[in-house]
Amino acid sequence: MTSNSAGMPPRFLRTPEAARFLGLSDRTLEKHRTYGTGPAYRKLGGRVVYALEDLQAWANRGTKTSTSDPGVGTVHPARRLEAR
């Protein structure tokens, strides 16, 4: 992972801080992790951490300009995705 423009190393957030950053509950972010629908995360020892860059990238996948805009990607709800 690259450093930010200020020369600081990437910042990692634990689940409660990452959820707050995204405006989600801790439990919703945990469900996203379980179902594989959430942002990329890392396991450092026994701790789950999220890079700010990964949280922003995941949130940006849901960017739309109108209700009819198919957009580039989709941020799925925190539930098991059905096989296609």
Side-chain angles (χ1 to χ4, degrees), residues 8-42:
M8 298 294 293
R11 169 108 165 130
F12 295 101
L13 302 176
R14 303 275 304 268
T15 300
E17 294 85 17
R20 198 165 32 256
F21 177 82
L22 293 169
L24 302 173
S25 72
D26 297 6
R27 185 70 184 121
T28 298
L29 191 53
E30 291 167 358
K31 286 181 182 180
H32 275 296
R33 191 168 61 241
T34 300
Y35 300 137
T37 57
Y41 67 94
R42 292 158 177 78

Side-chain angles (χ1 to χ4, degrees), residues 43-72:
K43 292 276 294 214
L44 302 178
R47 294 187 173 123
V48 172
V49 295
Y50 296 87
L52 282 173
E53 184 175 293
D54 293 335
L55 295 172
Q56 192 65 56
W58 181 74
N60 287 342
R61 284 181 21 200
T63 300
K64 309 283 185 207
T65 57
S66 75
T67 57
S68 62
D69 183 8
V72 177

